[in-house]
Amino acid sequence: MTPTTNTSSDTVGEPPQPSKGHARSRSGLSLKDLPRFPTWASSAAGWLTPSRAGTPRAGTPSGQEESGGDYFSNGEKFASGNGAATPRTARMEWEERRRARKKEKRRKQEIFITQHVAEIIARQQFILKLARALMMFGAPSHRLEAQIQNTGRVLDLQVSCMYLPGVMLISFGDSETHTSETRFVKQAPSLDLGKLKVAHEIYWKVIHDEISVVDAQESLDKLMKKPPAYQGIISVIIGGLCSSAITPLAFRGSFVDALSAFPLGCLLVWMQNVVSTNDLFSNVFEILIATLVSFLSAALGSTTRLCYTAIASGSVVLILPGYIVLAGSLEIASRNITSGAVRLGYSIIYSLFLGFGLSIGAEIYHQISGKPVLGADDYFCAATHRSDGPWWQRNVSEYWAFLLVPMYSLVLSLRNQQPVKAKELPIMVLMSCAGWTVNHFASRQFVNRNDITSAFGSFVVGVLGNLYGRFFFGNAFVIMLTGILFQLPSGLSNGGLLSFASQTASGDSASYSTGFAVAEQLVSVAIGLTVGLFASAVVVHPFGGSKRRGAGLFSL
């Protein structure tokens, strides 16, 4: 018996099939299957009731008709039991709140951008002022470029710079906008050890987040506007003591020669202070003061009791180009070829200026008095310093070095504006004495080799200074500078510039070749100092230098 197939829609377990005229949802329910909710409203409670088109609402107090618009429709109005309001008012309030939110967001963005840009500008201004301060106070020029770039890296700035004597070009880059801004910092170089140490402390606090760049800028501004520690009559007396102390040590002067060099050294510093405010006379200051000193020294030498060469050399010791030659040699050794070549070329011409001024002064005295300058070629003062003469007319004993070396080291430090109460001052004097002692005894073994003797002396000073800076967290450059500058006048010993002056005064055609030979002698001394300083840095820091951040600038 064949089974029949049940096609009825009322099969148990299956939902009823919809008819063709009614659509059914995927859930299997139709709209007619949904429960009906009664239409109710309470006019007293203020409920709104749905109504059909054309019939009034049951719950509206005013009985207004609803057109079926949206909530913010311009034509729709509704009322409540608490008060009447329109969709237009609600929309305006909503848009007002939205505009307020957008305005507040935009204001916060502008504040963030302003603060961000202001912070970048403040950091850039700090780098510019730091570069100016370092140039103003005499920081080692061969490390300025690297130090400014390292400072920009610490402050999260893209900085590139180029240093020339008296000018630094600093470029700030922006990788996001692919733009750059180049600034020129022009500052005449000078030497102020006290302010240099304070500037280094400010810089150190900034890169270690101890003070902000804004506070650091204010401190640098006050420091640059601060007057020198020694000025006026005090600086004049210091200059005279420098000339008086170096005359017996480096130029074989007697006790009376040292006393005679004191007023001439005072005259030099006084004229230097006066001329520094006059641009017209500052261009010829070296020639003018050398001429005047040579004339007065020739007049004193005519008494046959004073040595012309010792007095003239000791009086101009403070304007010798030794530091310029040293800075140029350090820059060339550090591959700063442009700046180093400019300094060396200038130092050579500067030496010729001094020699030319000395020859003019001697010639003027010869024309006025009608007598030749006594002892113009006597570089050892043998004619005036007789062994059988009085004690004040003889060459000073070597034991006088125990007094004169510390004395010159002290007054030379004060001349470079080192404060008297600074704790570094006694250490500077001791290191300078150690360097001179090594140089003095090395000169006995290497006769007429100023480059080798200066290399030994600078090596000792460099080792002591770098050790002090490494283990006592001090400023190595400030400590070493006096000891280095002490050895520079040896470049004018055995005649020096006076050999050029005497040949010029006598009309020798080879006088300028002698002047270049004197400049070559100064350069040889500076090269010896450079080699000794770099060798000492390698000995103290054999693994690439100090690990302290920012210490590289202040270690030669």
Side-chain angles (χ1 to χ4, degrees):
M1 184 173 179
T2 306
T4 60
T5 305
N6 187 7
T7 60
S8 176
S9 62
D10 297 332
T11 307
V12 178
E14 296 182 2
Q17 299 295 329
S19 63
K20 292 183 180 180
H22 297 278
R24 182 176 294 274
S25 65
R26 294 182 180 180
S27 63
L29 299 176
S30 62
L31 295 177
K32 67 180 181 179
D33 297 329
L34 297 176
R36 293 181 176 273
F37 295 94
T39 304
W40 57 273
S42 176
S43 60
W47 291 93
L48 298 178
T49 60
S51 63
R52 298 179 181 177
T55 61
R57 289 176 178 269
T60 56
S62 60
Q64 295 179 353
E65 297 182 354
E66 182 182 9
S67 60
D70 60 352
Y71 180 76
F72 294 112
S73 175
N74 293 330
E76 181 184 6
K77 297 182 179 179
F78 65 93
S80 63
N82 297 329
T86 63
R88 188 183 191 89
T89 306
R91 186 182 185 90
M92 291 174 62
E93 293 178 354
W94 177 76
E95 290 181 351
E96 213 173 298
R97 289 193 300 269
R98 186 182 64 177
R99 285 194 299 268
R101 288 194 300 268
K102 287 185 177 180
K103 185 176 180 180
E104 180 67 18
K105 183 178 180 181
R106 185 168 57 252
R107 187 181 69 86
K108 291 182 178 179
Q109 291 177 350
E110 292 177 353
I111 292 175
F112 173 77
I113 294 174
T114 303
Q115 291 177 348
H116 183 65
V117 173
E119 184 182 359
I120 293 177
I121 294 176
R123 285 180 284 173
Q124 291 179 355
Q125 291 295 329
F126 169 73
I127 288 183
L128 293 174
K129 291 183 179 180
L130 177 64
R132 180 180 297 277
L134 295 178
M135 295 168 62
M136 182 184 298
F137 304 146
S141 56
H142 66 290
R143 293 185 182 270
L144 276 179
E145 292 184 6
Q147 193 65 24
I148 294 299
Q149 292 177 357
N150 293 336
T151 305
R153 190 178 301 111
V154 171
L155 297 179
D156 197 17
L157 292 175
Q158 299 178 9
V159 180
S160 58
C161 60
M162 177 181 179
Y163 176 74
L164 295 173
V167 179
M168 175 170 282
L169 285 71
I170 302 178
S171 176
F172 299 100
D174 189 351
S175 59
E176 296 181 357
T177 59
H178 301 284
T179 58
S180 63
E181 180 185 7
T182 303
R183 306 291 293 271
F184 289 80
V185 179
K186 186 176 181 181
Q187 177 63 48
S190 60
L191 194 58
D192 194 323
L193 298 181
K195 293 183 179 180
L196 181 61
K197 181 178 179 296
V198 177
H200 174 253
E201 292 176 354
I202 296 173
Y203 153 79
W204 186 269
K205 291 179 180 179
V206 169
I207 65 174
H208 288 81
D209 299 328
E210 296 184 9
I211 60 175
S212 64
V213 292
V214 178
D215 297 336
Q217 289 183 49
E218 295 178 357
S219 300
L220 288 177
D221 288 335
K222 294 180 181 178
L223 185 63
M224 288 187 285
K225 295 178 182 179
K226 184 179 179 181
Y230 310 108
Q231 54 184 347
I233 189 62
I234 299 179
S235 63
V236 171
I237 295 176
I238 291 174
L241 291 175
C242 287
S243 298
S244 181
I246 197 62
T247 299
L249 288 174
F251 307 112
R252 298 178 177 85
S254 63
F255 180 77
V256 69
D257 293 336
L259 293 179
S260 302
F262 177 81
L264 296 181
C266 293
L267 176 64
L268 183 144
V269 176
W270 178 77
M271 289 190 62
Q272 194 174 25
N273 294 337
V274 173
V275 171
S276 61
T277 59
N278 193 321
D279 295 335
L280 181 61
F281 288 98
S282 62
N283 297 326
V284 294
F285 167 72
E286 291 81 10
I287 297 179
L288 181 63
I289 190 62
T291 301
L292 184 58
V293 166
S294 178
F295 177 83
L296 296 177
S297 299
L300 293 174
S302 63
T303 61
T304 68
R305 287 182 171 85
L306 300 174
C307 181
Y308 164 77
T309 57
I311 297 174
S313 300
S315 300
V316 299
V317 70
L318 294 179
I319 59 173
L320 295 179
Y323 182 70
I324 301 174
V325 177
L326 173 63
S329 300
L330 290 172
E331 288 171 347
I332 290 181
S334 302
R335 305 300 186 271
N336 297 332
I337 300 176
T338 303
S339 179
V342 169
R343 289 185 186 275
L344 287 180
Y346 171 72
S347 63
I348 292 174
I349 302 301
Y350 186 91
S351 301
L352 295 179
F353 281 164
L354 290 181
F356 184 67
L358 292 174
S359 65
I360 291 178
E363 184 65 23
I364 290 176
Y365 174 79
H366 172 66
Q367 295 296 330
I368 292 177
S369 63
K371 301 177 182 179
V373 178
L374 297 178
D377 299 329
D378 187 10
Y379 309 130
F380 296 93
C381 300
T384 55
H385 296 172
R386 298 189 304 269
S387 59
D388 57 347
W391 64 271
W392 45 266
Q393 199 175 351
R394 304 174 188 171
N395 290 332
V396 297
S397 174
E398 292 183 354
Y399 294 102
W400 277 90
F402 288 99
L403 174 64
L404 295 178
V405 172
M407 176 182 173
Y408 182 73
S409 302
L410 175 63
V411 293
L412 183 60
S413 301
L414 299 181
R415 166 68 178 171
N416 295 324
Q417 303 297 325
Q418 178 67 18
V420 177
K421 298 181 180 180
K423 64 177 182 179
E424 292 86 2
L425 185 59
I427 303 174
M428 295 169 63
V429 174
L430 292 177
M431 290 186 182
S432 178
C433 294
W436 181 88
T437 302
V438 174
N439 191 337
H440 176 72
F441 287 102
S443 62
R444 295 185 176 183
Q445 299 296 326
F446 303 95
V447 182
N448 294 331
R449 291 301 303 269
N450 293 325
D451 50 352
I452 297 179
T453 59
S454 61
F456 279 109
S458 63
F459 177 78
V460 172
V461 174
V463 168
L464 295 177
N466 283 291
L467 286 176
Y468 174 82
R470 182 167 186 175
F471 294 106
F472 295 95
F473 301 99
N475 197 318
F477 174 74
V478 174
I479 295 297
M480 292 188 292
L481 188 61
T482 300
I484 299 302
L485 295 180
F486 198 162
Q487 303 179 49
L488 287 170
S490 62
L492 292 182
S493 61
N494 298 332
L497 287 176
L498 294 177
S499 60
F500 166 67
S502 62
Q503 292 188 15
T504 304
S506 60
D508 192 347
S509 60
S511 59
Y512 277 92
S513 63
T514 306
F516 283 106
V518 173
E520 180 183 357
Q521 189 177 6
L522 285 172
V523 171
S524 66
V525 173
I527 290 175
L529 295 175
T530 303
V531 172
L533 290 173
F534 281 116
S536 65
V538 172
V539 171
V540 179
H541 306 289
F543 300 105
S546 176
K547 296 182 180 180
R548 294 182 299 138
R549 183 170 54 172
L553 173 65
F554 294 95
S555 59
L556 287 174

